[in-house]
Amino acid sequence: MTNLATACAVLWDLDGTLVDSAEYHWQAWCEALTAAGHVFDKDYLEATFGQRNDRILRAMLGPDATNAEIARISDDKEARYRALVRKRGIELLPGAELWLKRLRASGWRQALATSAPRANVAAMVEVLGLAEYFGAIVAAEDVPRGKPDPQVFLLAAEQLGVATYRCVVVEDAEAGVEGARSAGMRSIGVGLKHAELGANLAVSSLDKLPEGVFQELLGRIDF
């Protein structure tokens, strides 16, 4: 078997793809927005899940919101989120650990490509013990524009040293799948709304993925 590490990579989203963090996010958003005197709109936040906080808050609060206010609410929300992760712990979603191990054993390079702030990513990677799996971690601060812009995926591929057309993105949000498409990458959509994401392949959870699916998505590339 040819060593795929020289050629191919899987770029993972984190929240909702590898870990079930939604309830922590909703609680942190509710507390931070309420403390700042704003209404907590869960429907809107669910619709924008996977996007960066500055993009979410700018649309939510309108043109009169200052950059300082947006930063303050965002920082408060994320601090509350990290406190929940460290206090209560967090778990990988079904199939996540299996695929992380299987891909590593097969020689695939792997990266996290997420809209989450780096401090959040560091907290989750530490709590879950995931550092050994990733050759690169690209977080919100690393790119000027978040998903659906493809920058986060392009930078992850660059840091891994893998051509974009040899990358597969795994995502649970429409913005992420759109970003993968714009980057010229194949995608797998997972989660409750997997059928609506427009990915090349969609499954309800990672443990439903058939063995060999990543190679098949890249077609008959000369590995």
Side-chain angles (χ1 to χ4, degrees):
M1 184 177 192
T2 305
N3 184 0
L4 299 182
T6 61
C8 303
V10 176
L11 311 182
W12 297 95
D13 176 52
L14 182 57
D15 291 295
T17 300
L18 287 175
V19 298
D20 184 6
S21 56
E23 285 306 315
Y24 289 174
H25 280 294
W26 304 148
Q27 182 174 336
W29 272 121
C30 183
E31 292 175 358
L33 287 168
T34 301
H38 297 288
V39 175
F40 172 64
D41 185 344
K42 187 174 181 180
D43 290 339
Y44 170 77
L45 290 169
E46 285 183 339
T48 56
F49 197 72
Q51 299 180 23
R52 286 178 16 163
N53 288 356
D54 53 355
R55 181 184 176 101
I56 293 171
L57 287 167
R58 179 66 65 189
M60 177 188 291
L61 303 182
D64 293 335
T66 65
N67 291 337
E69 181 182 17
I70 288 173
R72 184 172 60 254
I73 296 173
S74 177
D75 290 347
D76 183 33
K77 180 264 175 179
E78 300 306 344
R80 294 174 187 272
Y81 172 79
R82 288 191 294 274
L84 288 168
V85 169
R86 295 191 183 280
K87 180 178 180 179
R88 300 183 186 177
I90 196 164
E91 295 183 355
L92 289 170
L93 285 164
E97 185 175 13
L98 169 68
W99 276 107
L100 289 170
K101 289 181 176 179
R102 179 180 285 171
L103 289 163
R104 182 180 61 177
S106 298
W108 286 69
R109 296 182 182 180
Q110 299 182 78
L112 282 177
T114 173
S115 296
R118 183 164 291 277
N120 287 20
V121 179
M124 285 188 279
V125 168
E126 177 188 340
V127 169
L128 292 166
L130 297 180
E132 62 184 300
Y133 295 106
F134 302 118
I137 295 177
V138 181
E141 297 90 337
D142 298 320
V143 291
R145 298 183 298 276
K147 304 170 188 177
D149 192 281
Q151 285 185 342
V152 65
F153 299 123
L154 296 174
L155 181 57
E158 179 183 342
Q159 291 185 359
L160 290 178
V162 178
T164 56
Y165 70 95
R166 295 178 185 266
C167 294
V168 178
V169 170
V170 188
E171 268 281 355
D172 76 311
E174 186 177 358
V177 171
E178 182 180 342
R181 187 182 304 115
S182 297
M185 301 174 181
R186 300 295 178 90
S187 61
I188 295 175
V190 299
L192 295 176
K193 298 182 179 180
H194 63 281
E196 306 169 15
L197 301 181
N200 297 109
L201 175 70
V203 291
S204 58
S205 63
L206 293 172
D207 58 354
K208 300 292 196 299
L209 287 174
E211 190 170 356
V213 65
F214 289 93
Q215 292 94 326
E216 292 173 9
L217 271 176
L218 292 183
R220 296 189 176 276
I221 292 175
D222 181 9
F223 292 121

